[in-house]
């Protein structure tokens, strides 16, 4: 992948020691901090900084999607930002990247992060819209300090449980700056339980943030939007 907002690999190979092979990857150095770093210390982002970081991350996500791929693990720990130059915001950790629409997933799902993964991914359905959900969840966490609908008591989530959880009203209190109505509407749309009700592409998510306007309705124009369920092997 060759994009300013996506981590790039510069070398790969196998290191052999004591007749044991150790595969390795070398990535380009990225200056900055994980979005997760201040969140784990109880700090949250200003509205302006959060929006700038996510806008640049969406540019990287749009590039990944343009290649016919899905990231599948967008979380605060997989986005690096540099406060002095937010345009260098970078999506990292491509270990879960896959093509949407395959019957068997090619990556481990047990290490995906609850509340940042879209409801349908618990049924092994991964496509561009599950990445949209995850990016919206990251933006929400940056503003309010926790993932949407987060509860310490809910550890074993499932598709049916997420259906119950996302039915509850989403709170928009606790941010440094008042979350404007247009952004609340965008977050509600992108965090919809039903993938068909979300903004469908990273480009359109970015455009909505730049215009500071949420689409009133969304029409599905691609017949191949819905990805077949993925089953464990």
């Amino acid at each position: 992948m060759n994009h300013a907002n996506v981590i790039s690999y510069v070398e790969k190979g196998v290191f052999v020691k004591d007749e044991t092979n150790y595969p390795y990857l070398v990535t380009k150095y990225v200056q900055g901090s994980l979005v997760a770093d201040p969140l784990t210390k109880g700090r949250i982002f200003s509205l302006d900084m959060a929006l700038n970081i996510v806008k640049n991350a969406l540019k990287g996500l749009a590039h990944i999607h343009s290649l016919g791929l899905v990231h599948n693990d967008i979380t605060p720990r997989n986005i690096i930002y540099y406060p002095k130059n937010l345009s260098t915001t970078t999506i990292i950790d491509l270990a879960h990247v896959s093509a949407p629409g395959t019957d068997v997933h090619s990556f481990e799902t047990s290490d995906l992060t609850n509340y940042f993964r879209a409801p349908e991914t618990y049924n092994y359905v991964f496509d561009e819209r599950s990445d949209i959900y995850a990016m919206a969840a990251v933006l929400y966490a940056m503003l309010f300090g926790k993932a949407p609908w987060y509860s310490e008591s809910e550890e074993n989530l499932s598709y049916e449980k997420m259906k119950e959880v996302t039915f509850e009203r989403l709170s928009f209190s606790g941010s440094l700056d008042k979350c404007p109505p247009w952004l609340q509407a965008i977050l509600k749309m992108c965090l919809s339980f039903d993938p068909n009700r979300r903004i469908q592409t990273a480009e359109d998510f970015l455009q909505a943030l730049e215009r500071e306007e949420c689409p009133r309705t969304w029409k599905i124009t691609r017949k191949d939007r819905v990805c077949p369920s993925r089953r464990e092997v």
Side-chain angles (χ1 to χ4, degrees), residues 79-120:
I79 299 176
I80 291 179
Y81 72 101
Y82 184 46
K84 294 183 179 180
N85 186 4
L86 295 180
S87 66
T88 64
T89 295
T90 305
I91 294 176
I92 64 172
D93 193 350
L94 306 181
H96 295 81
V97 168
S98 72
T102 56
D103 290 327
V104 180
H105 58 77
S106 58
F107 56 90
E108 180 60 48
T109 61
S110 62
D111 60 344
L112 297 180
T113 308
N114 284 336
Y115 295 103
F116 287 103
R117 56 184 295 189
E120 66 273 13

Side-chain angles (χ1 to χ4, degrees), residues 140 144 146-149 168-174 179 184 187-188:
Y140 183 95
F144 302 101
K146 60 182 181 180
W149 298 291
E168 299 175 7
R169 183 182 295 273
L170 192 60
S171 173
F172 289 103
S173 62
C179 186
Q184 293 183 31
L187 288 171
K188 288 178 181 178

